[in-house]
Amino acid sequence: MAITHSQQQLFLDYRQPGNAFDFLLANDVDNSNPVVQAENLNWLHYLMNFGTITAGQDDANFDSIRIDAVDFIHNDTIQRTYDYLCDAYQVQQSEAKANQHISLVEAGLDAGTSTIHNDALIESNLREAATLSLTNEPGKNKPLTNMLQDVDGGTLIADHTQNSTENQATPNYSIIHAHDKGVQEKVGAAITDATGADWTNFTDEQLKAGLELFYKDQRATNKKYNSYNIPSIYALMLTNKDTVPRMYYGDMYQDNGQYMANKSIYYDALVSLMTVRKSYVSGGQTMSVDNHGLLKSVRFGKDAMTANDLGTSATRTEGLGVIIGNDPKLQLNDSYKVTLDMGAAHKNQKYRAVILTTRDGLATFNSDQAPTAWTNDQGTLTFSNQEINGQDNTQIRSVANPQVSGYLAVWVPVGASDNQDARTAATTTENHDGKVLHSNAALDSNLIYEGFSNFQPKATTKDELTNVVIAKNADFFNNWGITSFEMAPQYRSSGDHTFLDSTIDNGYAFTDRYDLGFNTPTKYGTDGDLRAAIQALHHANMQVMADVVDNQVYNLPGKEVVSATRAGVYGNDDATGFGTQLYVTNSVGGGQYQEKYAGQYLEALKAKYPDLFEGKAYDYWYKNYANDGSNPYYTLSHGDRESIPADVAIKQWSAKYMNGTNVLGNGMGYVLKDWHNGQYFKLDGDKSTLPQI
């Protein structure tokens, strides 16, 4: 199954030296195939109408999607997905409609067609910048100036330094961790160190031992497996303008216990920050780094876009200031002052602490009964290395403790009502600019919660099932200010332990993507538990996001002989000189619900939304690289999709619908077999090391 030319272009975005895989994993679905594109539409419609289709429950339908591994999906499929959302929900008509169905992609500016019409949130560069400037052991962090702007490949996504505009930034979300980003490899290392097990294939007891070591490390000042300064990173994520924060379950809760059973050491700080976001974060923003390397970020409050704006009566009780340091050895002399210019609207005003750094950790304050400080007649808060109002923990003093390596403080105005809500509702005014999402105060008012982690243990009782617990805690999430709840991929995992996803049963290693817990529970629950969780979240005023995985199916039971050409790490044909081989691969199957639902809605969709099935020219940004693989830049490229059929149903997958396979675990790293002993010769990245035959 040779890779198509069009798919080659998509794989070019994953130029990471040292990688050794043919495709992302499993059987790589050929999303350039018009029949597959039709099947993807059928499946997307099934997901978005899951409650209605399976139980006649309209309030148990998903509202939006996260597109998994979008760089591995053909642009025709991505673009048709957005066309479906536009047709089904009219998300392009107004900001209110768009904000009711916010979707996101697992990628940055290179995410196919995502940024042409702002169809979905892309990832900002906060994670990359924070990884360089905040997460490392003392002495190895880069300056905090990295945090001032969101830049991807030289292209500005958002500027936080003097941000007084609306609808100028590219709609984006910010994360530091996700189920598969910044965590799973580190937990894997702890599993291996604790037990010697291969971290992609381990027992429940080995996972328990690894997690015990991982969380012991999290509670240590000097860390081996965990990132430093997680609360400081969230302080920026949750207060920055022109981004939608995406909270991660695994930073709130630990995995060495049932769902939501064990809180992380960061829990109190992160809850305080989410609560503060809902009540205080609004208005324009300034961000800078002073000559001691301390980052200072200020939001001015509603109706004040610059420091000179006097705003309105609402401005006075909103806004906030953040101070962050990344050097635990920083010493301020007695004459040095740290100032936060809170703006003219906040002259001669009393402020109180939300979070302060102490010798042992973080102190959090959830009312006006907290350490205080006053602005002067210019609206400036001033701090130093001295005590303020006799409070030892109000002075700026860098520390090293399990939560902070450097310094963190967050300050808000005193006097806000207990139910103050600084968020902005989206307008119902009709759009005429062709864009779906608009980067403004209404979009900023959203908060996404990735409500699962990879290493969550399997439930031992029905009451412990993830979706059962979610349903019971919907109001709890709403109180945090969550507006979009991102569900785990609800698909039944193969459980064959041939890859990490099929060891932890996280929902990505699936064979039948229509099986969302029928008959027996998945790791997260039954189909009924899923519907109940969606209903509860809806009743608590949240939208619910489905995880869409177009690029793969896993562990298909049927075999067939195919003509296979080795593909390189970038998806291109590998120039090994070994040519095309006949290969027996597991590429046939799909499951009983694939058989039941595949193609079932195509005729109705074509009748209702004929444009989805028609050919169409479209634009997308394509990520290019210099010859050495560095210095990415973007080129506006053009696609021309074919029409797709409504009368062909993929009742079971087969090679004709695939680009290729991960060679059943052998992958790109193995290019030739020694037929005398059955061993494969390994390619380590330098073709000159191949054995001479």
Side-chain angles (χ1 to χ4, degrees), residues 631-679:
N631 300 321
Y633 61 96
Y634 295 93
T635 302
L636 186 64
S637 299
H638 307 281
D640 191 4
R641 75 186 191 195
E642 301 177 48
S643 60
I644 59 174
D647 58 352
V648 181
I650 302 180
K651 295 296 184 180
Q652 66 174 5
W653 296 100
S654 62
K656 64 182 177 180
Y657 302 124
M658 307 289 180
N659 279 314
T661 173
N662 66 354
V663 199
L664 304 182
N666 291 327
M668 173 56 202
Y670 299 86
V671 297
L672 189 65
K673 184 175 182 178
D674 185 333
W675 298 101
H676 295 291
N677 58 26
Q679 299 298 307

Side-chain angles (χ1 to χ4, degrees), residues 542-561:
M542 282 169 277
Q543 61 169 295
V544 187
M545 187 176 292
D547 206 313
V548 171
V549 188
D550 282 317
N551 63 289
Q552 70 199 45
V553 289
Y554 203 89
N555 198 40
L556 295 172
K559 297 179 184 292
E560 58 187 326
V561 177

Side-chain angles (χ1 to χ4, degrees), residues 22-289:
D22 289 315
F23 304 101
L24 186 58
L25 64 116
N27 292 288
D28 183 80
V29 175
D30 180 9
N31 288 290
S32 68
N33 187 319
V35 176
V36 173
Q37 290 177 37
E39 165 58 19
N40 286 340
L41 276 180
N42 188 83
W43 178 50
L44 177 63
H45 179 77
Y46 168 85
L47 280 179
M48 300 305 293
N49 296 276
F50 179 73
T52 301
I53 289 171
T54 60
Q57 297 173 341
D58 296 346
D59 60 348
N61 293 333
F62 286 103
D63 304 289
S64 59
I65 60 174
R66 167 193 176 265
I67 304 181
D68 179 68
V70 71
D71 282 333
F72 286 83
I73 300 171
H74 194 275
N75 274 316
D76 288 1
T77 288
I78 300 169
Q79 200 262 344
R80 272 197 165 95
T81 297
Y82 296 142
D83 281 357
Y84 173 87
L85 297 175
C86 285
D87 284 354
Y89 303 107
Q90 300 299 303
V91 291
Q92 77 282 16
Q93 281 194 356
S94 71
E95 291 179 11
K97 285 184 177 292
N99 285 13
Q100 290 169 1
H101 302 278
I102 293 174
S103 294
L104 61 86
V105 295
E106 187 188 15
L109 281 172
D110 55 316
T113 69
S114 301
T115 57
I116 295 298
H117 298 110
N118 293 352
D119 292 295
L121 298 176
I122 62 169
E123 186 185 344
S124 75
N125 83 319
L126 181 139
R127 177 165 58 97
E128 178 183 356
T131 299
L132 293 172
S133 297
L134 282 165
T135 65
N136 303 293
E137 62 185 88
K140 294 189 176 180
N141 281 312
K142 292 186 178 296
L144 285 166
T145 49
N146 277 328
M147 309 300 300
L148 300 183
Q149 297 177 325
D150 290 325
V151 180
D152 183 358
T155 302
L156 184 66
I157 298 175
D159 183 355
H160 307 297
T161 56
Q162 296 287 338
N163 194 336
S164 60
T165 63
E166 298 279 78
N167 293 326
Q168 297 298 308
T170 301
N172 67 90
Y173 66 93
S174 296
I175 61 171
I176 182 56
H177 288 150
H179 67 276
D180 60 346
K181 288 181 172 60
V183 178
Q184 69 178 18
E185 293 85 357
K186 296 175 181 179
V187 172
I191 293 171
T192 300
D193 288 350
T195 69
D198 177 353
W199 79 275
T200 66
N201 183 10
F202 43 80
T203 66
D204 290 344
E205 286 303 311
Q206 289 169 330
L207 174 59
K208 181 179 179 180
L211 288 174
E212 182 179 351
L213 179 59
F214 181 80
Y215 291 118
K216 181 180 179 181
D217 177 76
Q218 192 175 88
R219 284 166 168 74
T221 298
N222 298 310
K223 304 179 189 298
K224 178 179 180 180
Y225 308 107
N226 285 265
S227 298
Y228 290 80
N229 288 316
I230 293 302
S232 299
I233 298 167
Y234 274 104
L236 288 180
M237 280 174 51
L238 289 161
T239 62
N240 274 348
K241 187 176 179 296
D242 283 333
T243 192
V244 177
R246 181 174 166 219
M247 303 295 295
Y248 171 53
Y249 167 90
D251 289 329
M252 302 287 297
Y253 296 96
Q254 296 183 178
D255 282 340
N256 58 347
Q258 290 300 325
Y259 193 76
M260 293 180 68
N262 297 332
K263 297 174 182 177
S264 77
I265 63 170
Y266 311 124
Y267 178 89
D268 288 341
L270 301 191
V271 169
S272 292
L273 287 167
M274 285 190 287
T275 304
V276 162
R277 173 183 174 79
K278 183 169 66 171
S279 299
Y280 293 94
V281 176
S282 60
Q285 180 177 18
T286 60
M287 186 186 291
S288 62
V289 175

